[in-house]
Amino acid sequence: MNDNPTIEFALRMGDNCLILAQQVGAWCGHAPVVEEDIAFANVALDLIGQTKLWLGYAGELEGKGRSADDLAFLRDVRQFRNCLLVEQPNDEFAKALMRQFLFDAWHHPMLTALTKSSNARIAEIAEKSVKEVSYHLERSHDLITRLGDGSPESHAKMQEALNDLWRFTGELMTPDSVDEALAADGAAPELSDIQAEYTAYMRSALEEATLVAPEKVHMYQGGKTGVHTEKLGHLVAEMQWMQRAYPGLKW
Amino acid sequence: MYAQMVKSTGERPKTLDEMTPEERAFQTRIDADIKIEPKEWMPEGYRKTLIRQISQHAHSEVVGQLPEGNWINRAPTLDRKAILIAKVQDEAGHGLYLYCAAETLGVSRDELIQQLLTGKAKYSSIFNYPSLTWADIGAIGWLVDGAAIMNQVQLQRCSYGPYSRAMIRICKEESFHQRQGYDIMMALMRGSPEQQEMAQDALNRWWWPSLMMFGPSDADSVHSAQSMAWKIKPVGNDELRQRFVDQTVPQAEFIGLKVPDPEVKWNEERGHYDFGEIDWEEFYRVLKGEGPCNRERMAARQKAWDDGEWFREGLMAHSKKRAAKKLAAE
Amino acid sequence: MSNEWPLWEVFIRGQHGLAHRHVGSLHAPDAEMAINNARDVYTRRNEGVSIWVVKASDISASAPSDKGPLFEPSNSKIYRHPTFYDIPEEVGHM
């Protein structure tokens, strides 16, 4: 781990965007309807833009001349700081939508709080991102509501996705030394505040969608410190293929 | 091109004398460059030919997402990834515009998609070739989009209003597609010997299939003559193909690439490049379904359709519930 | 295929205060989703635009063959056009 908690924090924010963008982008051309191909691709594009801001900042702070691209394409799995939620499998659209919603519902209040960060760079990045993410949340919330309260089949699929993914939401709101250090400086919010907001939001959103969050599940942790699920290695291997196979070239 | 072999009536165009009064009035409007709009009277052959052409064009956009989409996950930099997603996304958008244009002729999008999935409707042969290396993404943008733009620019003048308007919008949005492809090729040619080899290999594999995109020679097609008379296809296949060769050969030379055709030579007298004979057997084989990736492409589209059914149905079910609730509250 | 999403016509007013203009169509299960989709498809989410969607089947249109009778009368009222009037140049711009 980096000694500088701000670097860690920027990597976490950036890697969340990067890994999620990688997953969402893969749907372009394979979504259930062409309107959805287009809408989901917009989300991927926003997230790539945000990745560049966060990882660019992390690279600057690190001071070793590493660019956002270097960080994205030349770190190994253990150096990735994204939460476990975003790396979950991409093979079902229902799960991709639920993953998006569970993440957006955290991402939005987090960025909103970060716009008031005592760190001007963080506040600036959050300011740019929050507008995009408020649209992501509006859209994923709308889809989850409709599909949850849709046909029996769509309801079952959304409930199954929720059952599967809910266990990865706790990590986003469990503070560690990095979160505490930033919160102490007013650079980032207390995660307990985000948790309170998340819980209230989820309660009403899921109720409207006629979905029920599983109770008393163990909340999985590890992504924030680089201990991931096995899937991430494959995702990263594919993403980094060109830079690994042809080191040091310009594209 | 994106619509390569559109069957028309199968007969030569009628002369004005042979036409019924309605047909004559229609043809006179076409000749005067007046656009035909959705609910106006039109010969059944015109309507059917247009549905075939526009839907073939739409299917090509949608299937066309696949070979490039194949590299979204592996794009070498964040910027290249974003550009590629934006481009593949545009193709989805263009498919959408074109399906809507076809729908003005009295056919539904789901029907058209079924025609694609059952193999009744065709799409461009070009998308049945594999994208094997990153350089293929450059070659597709430069050559395939280059050929597509050449075709689409003239289709902006098509006699059917909705198709012409869709083309205007598409041409505007696509202006970056070819440039980003050439930009990838330039970066490769400025790079290492390995990269240069990758670029040349991609050109070698995509050159001939790109020329095939314009479809068979006009001389071999009775359909061409009727489509041209109706201004569904303002410029012929051979002329477009020649324009493409004339434009592309110097672009290749400029960055040090060699077009894989020993017969390519500037012909001073004609004022055009000469080029070799296209392997039409290959073209017809690919069009018939036996190209390198036909099965994979259709399997991918079929999977998206099947796996997405619950989503389309679920949203429809919700909308019906909402409408019913609203009605009950009134 | 009774369950096909209906077709919507999309109208957008840009930032320049001009009237809503027809930009194209799309499919969506209902009006709210049509607006969301329109935002993604036709504006790539530019802010500050207003979107109208109308179910294509709800639009009544003049039959194109009526083109003559419907539009010719106004063409004959040439006094509705400013160029109908000769104003002496000395009067200035009017």
Side-chain angles (χ1 to χ4, degrees):
Chain A
M1 221 158 61
N2 286 288
D3 296 336
N4 180 345
T6 311
I7 299 180
E8 280 292 310
F9 183 78
L11 287 176
R12 290 175 182 183
M13 295 300 289
D15 287 344
N16 282 339
C17 295
L18 173 63
I19 301 303
L20 193 55
Q22 178 76 4
Q23 306 246 51
V24 174
W27 279 101
C28 197
H30 304 275
V33 64
V34 70
E35 282 82 2
E36 197 56 32
D37 273 323
I38 298 168
F40 221 20
N42 273 338
V43 174
L45 289 172
D46 289 343
L47 290 172
I48 293 175
Q50 294 173 24
T51 302
K52 287 173 63 181
L53 298 174
W54 288 116
L55 294 188
Y57 181 43
E60 277 173 44
L61 286 174
E62 188 191 49
K64 292 183 191 158
R66 290 205 286 182
S67 66
D69 274 327
D70 293 335
L71 289 170
F73 294 103
L74 296 172
R75 279 177 301 157
D76 202 352
V77 174
R78 290 278 286 111
Q79 274 89 52
F80 275 84
R81 294 290 182 259
N82 58 279
C83 62
L84 299 175
L85 176 65
V86 295
E87 70 195 44
Q88 293 311 303
N90 210 28
D91 46 3
E92 283 181 52
F93 200 63
K95 288 191 181 165
L97 286 177
M98 184 55 78
R99 181 182 63 206
Q100 190 70 40
F101 174 60
L102 296 176
F103 180 74
D104 292 342
W106 170 82
H107 204 197
H108 186 256
M110 187 69 186
L111 288 170
T112 306
L114 289 175
T115 59
K116 298 185 197 79
S117 170
S118 60
N119 176 320
R121 269 303 280 289
I122 291 180
E124 188 192 329
I125 296 172
E127 193 71 52
K128 269 188 111 154
S129 310
V130 75
K131 285 185 207 125
E132 295 169 348
V133 171
S134 89
Y135 182 67
H136 299 177
L137 178 58
E138 192 185 316
R139 223 185 73 82
S140 62
H141 182 171
D142 186 50
L143 284 174
I144 260 64
T145 310
R146 288 165 178 272
L147 292 164
D149 185 19
S151 66
E153 191 186 3
S154 72
H155 174 83
K157 278 191 184 281
M158 296 323 290
Q159 184 62 54
E160 191 193 323
L162 181 62
N163 292 347
D164 188 39
L165 295 172
W166 185 251
R167 65 199 157 114
F168 298 111
T169 56
E171 182 185 17
L172 288 161
M173 284 152 294
T174 308
D176 65 3
S177 62
V178 171
D179 298 305
E180 280 157 9
L182 270 90
D185 283 350
E190 295 283 355
L191 287 185
S192 54
D193 293 347
I194 303 295
Q195 167 111 57
E197 211 174 314
Y198 193 81
T199 309
Y201 184 86
M202 274 298 157
R203 195 178 298 125
S204 84
L206 292 178
E207 191 190 321
E208 198 190 345
T210 70
L211 297 171
V212 185
E215 275 175 57
K216 292 189 189 131
V217 286
H218 171 65
M219 287 294 179
Y220 287 66
Q221 313 275 339
K224 280 157 81 163
T225 49
V227 183
H228 294 276
T229 53
E230 288 180 346
K231 291 121 199 157
L232 187 67
H234 296 275
L235 184 153
V236 164
E238 189 182 28
M239 180 173 78
Q240 297 183 339
W241 157 253
M242 290 296 291
Q243 293 290 351
R244 299 294 189 177
Y246 304 94
L249 299 183
K250 292 234 177 316
W251 302 95
Chain B
M1 148 88 322
Y2 271 28
Q4 284 164 317
M5 276 214 12
V6 180
K7 288 207 172 94
S8 185
T9 55
E11 284 160 21
R12 66 166 174 79
K14 290 184 187 169
T15 64
L16 283 176
D17 290 341
E18 293 166 333
M19 290 178 187
T20 65
E22 265 173 329
E23 287 171 341
R24 201 174 306 130
F26 179 82
Q27 189 63 47
T28 311
R29 298 186 62 193
I30 298 241
D31 294 342
D33 284 328
I34 296 171
K35 293 273 186 260
I36 308 301
E37 293 298 336
K39 285 171 187 163
E40 291 174 4
W41 185 88
M42 59 186 77
E44 193 52 18
Y46 178 84
R47 196 181 71 86
K48 283 196 173 141
T49 308
L50 265 176
I51 291 178
R52 279 192 213 105
Q53 178 165 334
I54 301 173
S55 64
Q56 212 179 98
H57 198 155
H59 297 326
S60 299
E61 296 281 357
V62 167
V63 177
Q65 294 182 87
L66 299 172
E68 288 177 285
N70 182 37
W71 277 88
I72 288 178
N73 284 357
R74 289 176 291 172
T77 68
L78 293 170
D79 283 339
R80 290 289 185 203
K81 190 190 287 293
I83 293 168
L84 185 56
I85 291 176
K87 179 174 188 289
V88 177
Q89 180 194 39
D90 276 352
E91 275 145 26
H94 299 165
L96 186 154
Y97 305 158
L98 288 161
Y99 281 128
C100 290
E103 282 178 280
T104 61
L105 292 158
V107 58
S108 82
R109 184 166 88 184
D110 282 6
E111 277 172 63
L112 294 174
I113 292 173
Q114 284 316 310
Q115 290 177 2
L116 171 70
L117 296 178
T118 56
K120 193 179 159 226
K122 301 279 178 240
Y123 57 91
S124 177
S125 57
I126 193 77
F127 301 117
N128 291 313
Y129 292 87
S131 62
L132 300 176
T133 71
W134 173 250
D136 289 26
I137 299 307
I140 291 173
W142 171 37
L143 302 173
V144 176
D145 285 84
I149 291 164
M150 193 143 272
N151 184 48
Q152 289 170 172
V153 162
Q154 49 105 25
L155 283 174
Q156 295 178 98
R157 290 189 280 121
C158 164
S159 62
Y160 187 58
Y163 192 29
S164 151
R165 289 191 286 274
M167 278 301 131
I168 290 170
R169 191 174 183 97
I170 289 172
C171 284
K172 213 163 106 191
E173 293 182 355
E174 271 197 358
S175 54
F176 85 88
H177 290 187
Q178 188 185 16
R179 295 172 77 101
Q180 67 85 34
Y182 195 63
D183 187 62
I184 290 175
M185 294 307 252
M186 283 198 298
L188 294 173
M189 293 309 287
R190 279 196 299 259
S192 71
E194 247 174 335
Q195 285 173 305
Q196 292 170 5
E197 202 180 305
M198 194 189 275
Q200 182 64 54
D201 168 62
L203 172 59
N204 292 350
R205 283 180 291 109
W206 289 93
W207 172 256
W208 289 107
S210 298
L211 294 192
M212 293 176 199
M213 283 178 72
F214 296 94
S217 174
D218 300 306
D220 299 336
S221 173
V222 276
H223 302 294
S224 267
Q226 178 62 76
S227 287
M228 286 170 80
W230 276 333
K231 296 190 185 162
I232 288 175
K233 195 168 105 174
V235 182
N237 295 348
D238 295 318
E239 187 181 335
L240 287 171
R241 185 165 20 240
Q242 181 69 59
R243 281 189 206 170
F244 176 75
V245 172
D246 290 348
Q247 172 188 289
T248 311
V249 171
Q251 290 170 349
E253 283 169 358
F254 181 76
I255 50 174
L257 285 167
K258 205 174 157 0
V259 168
D261 176 0
E263 290 178 51
V264 162
K265 210 172 74 212
W266 178 252
N267 183 326
E268 194 62 56
E269 204 178 305
R270 288 202 309 128
H272 292 292
Y273 281 93
D274 290 335
F275 56 97
E277 188 58 35
I278 289 168
D279 180 354
W280 291 112
E281 258 177 57
E282 175 179 325
F283 169 75
Y284 287 110
R285 189 171 67 239
V286 174
L287 208 64
K288 224 177 67 195
E290 291 174 343
C293 301
N294 292 60
R295 289 184 194 213
E296 288 84 347
R297 300 294 184 239
M298 275 309 95
R301 289 315 308 162
Q302 185 73 55
K303 184 174 176 351
W305 178 259
D306 293 344
D307 290 357
E309 193 177 355
W310 71 272
F311 176 88
R312 296 186 302 270
E313 301 267 322
L315 291 179
M316 204 60 209
H318 180 84
S319 294
K320 283 181 184 161
K321 278 189 201 175
R322 252 191 212 193
K325 253 185 228 163
K326 208 175 153 193
L327 206 65
E330 272 167 12
Chain C
M1 263 164 251
S2 57
N3 239 355
E4 182 164 1
W5 290 1
L7 187 67
W8 300 81
E9 298 299 334
V10 181
F11 300 80
I12 290 181
R13 177 162 52 72
Q15 283 125 325
H16 310 296
L18 296 175
H20 282 79
R21 202 168 65 86
H22 182 238
V23 292
S25 348
L26 49 74
H27 286 266
D30 61 29
E32 289 82 5
M33 276 207 75
I35 289 178
N36 276 349
N37 287 346
R39 195 146 49 148
D40 277 306
V41 173
Y42 286 106
T43 76
R44 298 287 193 268
R45 283 193 261 133
N46 279 341
E47 283 169 277
V49 298
S50 157
I51 301 174
W52 287 350
V53 295
V54 185
K55 215 183 232 186
S57 58
D58 286 346
I59 292 181
S60 310
S62 58
S65 51
D66 295 344
K67 213 170 181 172
L70 257 177
F71 299 113
E72 263 154 31
S74 62
N75 282 343
S76 67
K77 297 180 181 110
I78 46 170
Y79 48 81
R80 285 191 181 277
H81 299 280
T83 47
F84 178 74
Y85 306 94
D86 277 328
I87 306 285
E89 267 181 42
E90 300 86 76
V91 180
H93 180 72
M94 187 176 283

